[in-house]
Amino acid sequence: MRRFWQRGDAATATIIPQEQDDALFSEELLSLTRRLSLTPRTFVPEGLAGEHRSRRRGTSPEFADFKSYSQGDDFRRIDWNIYGRLGSLFIRLSEVTTEIPVHVLLDSSASMLWSGSSDRPQKFTIARQIAGMLGFLSLQRSDRVIISPFSTGLLPSYGPAQGRAAVTPMLTYLTGLRAQGETDLRATLERYARERKRPGFAMLISDLLSGEPDDLAAGLRAFRAHGWEVAVLQVIDPAEIDPELIAETVNERGAVDLIDLESRGHIRLALSDDVVVRCREATNEWRRAIEEACRTEQTLRVEIDTSNPLTETLRRLHEMGITG
């Protein structure tokens, strides 16, 4: 089983309702990101004015370096103090700041509505909170933000938006977002990379329960071919890693119906000790394949545990170099 399943009666299966969103974004949550900024490893910002250092040099008042004067340079930028000391002409170069095009690709399929325990939030709740925090810190730094939800295909997106005034509309958009349908991850990623003329820094937030790891690799390869940098934030419930947590909720480990939250298909399964062990082994093998797909495509991957507080998630993102 690659998708996560809801335990229940197959004859009366219903879609899991989305959690209440009253406190999805609190001031306390947003305050955690105020001093952070995105730090792509390979993508070079070359856009309009923002707050990230660029490799380009311009006419801003922020000094960056000197270079020898050559014909055609602006003589007004000659440093006459150096000329007086060395007898050679040098031009003062200034630092240019620019924005990063930030694209948040948010998995909004039905599997994201799952939680292995009533004590933990659904994956879609955590995914939207992470998207909101990343969008918030990007807008605070004058980056250009686009949030694109997807399921079987791309859904209506938010943005592009830039500046602090866009924070409230962005958070309102995420609060009202709903998850439903199946997922076609490979087709979505390939289409997104193909249709955008200008590359950027894309952050994929998903449980990655679509197709095989090879499909993820193909989608990441399409982004890399078009000059993008991508980070994969994989949202995982602890019960998906350790099926023992599900087995513990079944009295005497009897037969149960497991319902696919996307296709609505179901299977009957006896959660014996042997089945639990084999499920755990298969899950670990799948996670290793996901990690290998990301490594092969030079893509950073971070696992987001839904049982951890968001402060821990931010710490992980900082440790992995996504935020600085």
Side-chain angles (χ1 to χ4, degrees):
M1 295 180 301
R2 286 293 172 83
R3 287 206 179 96
F4 297 120
W5 298 72
Q6 172 193 5
R7 184 170 58 86
D9 183 350
T12 59
T14 57
I15 294 290
I16 297 177
Q18 187 161 312
E19 293 175 330
Q20 295 297 318
D21 301 324
D22 298 338
L24 194 62
F25 300 106
S26 64
E27 179 60 31
E28 179 182 6
L29 173 62
L30 297 178
S31 67
L32 298 174
T33 67
R34 291 190 188 278
R35 297 183 180 181
L36 300 176
S37 63
L38 292 178
T39 55
R41 299 176 300 168
T42 59
F43 180 76
V44 180
E46 295 292 349
L48 303 175
E51 298 185 16
H52 297 274
R53 292 180 176 179
S54 172
R55 292 181 181 178
R56 293 184 291 116
R57 295 292 180 254
T59 59
S60 76
E62 298 296 330
F63 170 74
D65 201 354
F66 290 104
K67 84 172 190 70
S68 298
Y69 177 82
S70 58
Q71 186 174 359
D73 287 337
D74 186 350
F75 67 88
R76 293 172 298 180
R77 302 192 62 78
I78 294 175
D79 191 307
W80 296 107
N81 290 326
I82 290 183
Y83 178 75
R85 295 197 305 269
L86 304 179
S88 300
L89 294 177
F90 287 87
I91 297 291
R92 292 177 61 89
L93 299 177
S94 300
E95 185 176 75
V96 173
T97 56
T98 184
E99 100 277 357
I100 296 175
V102 176
H103 298 250
V104 179
L105 282 75
L106 180 58
D107 188 342
S108 299
S109 60
S111 70
M112 294 291 287
L113 294 177
W114 193 79
S115 173
S117 169
S118 59
D119 297 331
R120 292 191 295 272
Q122 293 175 352
K123 291 181 289 183
F124 194 53
T125 297
I126 295 296
R128 285 182 296 159
Q129 288 178 324
I130 294 171
M133 289 192 296
L134 293 173
F136 178 78
L137 70 87
S138 298
L139 293 172
Q140 291 285 315
R141 296 293 185 269
S142 299
D143 290 328
R144 193 171 299 273
V145 174
I146 299 176
I147 299 177
S148 298
F150 64 90
S151 55
T152 51
L154 291 169
L155 303 174
S157 63
Y158 172 82
Q162 192 171 24
R164 292 172 173 82
V167 168
T168 298
M170 178 202 66
L171 298 180
T172 300
Y173 166 83
L174 285 170
T175 300
L177 204 57
R178 293 294 177 263
Q180 59 183 349
E182 300 186 54
T183 322
D184 190 341
L185 185 61
R186 176 173 181 171
T188 297
L189 296 182
E190 290 180 340
R191 175 187 170 188
Y192 199 92
R194 182 176 64 251
E195 292 183 351
R196 268 65 185 175
K197 294 182 179 179
R198 181 186 174 193
F201 185 25
M203 285 169 288
L204 171 63
I205 306 176
S206 172
D207 55 17
L208 302 181
L209 297 176
S210 172
E212 301 295 331
D214 287 345
D215 296 315
L216 171 64
L220 297 176
R221 193 174 307 121
F223 273 95
R224 197 155 59 89
H226 288 82
W228 291 70
E229 180 173 344
V230 185
V232 173
L233 280 58
Q234 185 177 6
V235 184
I236 296 182
D237 187 283
E240 297 168 342
I241 299 174
D242 187 2
E244 184 73 33
L245 297 176
I246 297 178
E248 289 174 353
T249 67
V250 181
N251 293 332
E252 299 179 358
R253 299 201 177 181
V256 294
D257 287 321
L258 301 178
I259 305 166
D260 188 319
L261 294 179
E262 295 190 6
S263 70
R264 310 312 299 164
H266 75 279
I267 62 173
R268 174 154 291 188
L269 186 66
L271 290 180
S272 64
D273 290 339
D274 180 62
V275 168
V276 169
V277 170
R278 285 189 287 131
C279 284
R280 184 185 294 114
E281 292 174 348
T283 299
N284 289 335
E285 181 181 350
W286 170 72
R287 290 167 66 200
R288 286 192 294 268
I290 291 289
E291 178 65 30
E292 178 62 20
C294 292
R295 187 196 63 79
T296 300
E297 297 305 324
Q298 303 174 24
T299 300
L300 183 65
R301 170 180 171 265
V302 182
E303 281 193 358
I304 307 296
D305 188 329
T306 61
S307 66
N308 287 336
L310 286 168
T311 51
E312 173 66 17
T313 297
L314 282 176
R315 186 188 66 81
R316 284 275 294 147
L317 295 179
H318 183 73
E319 286 181 348
M320 299 299 289
I322 294 178
T323 63

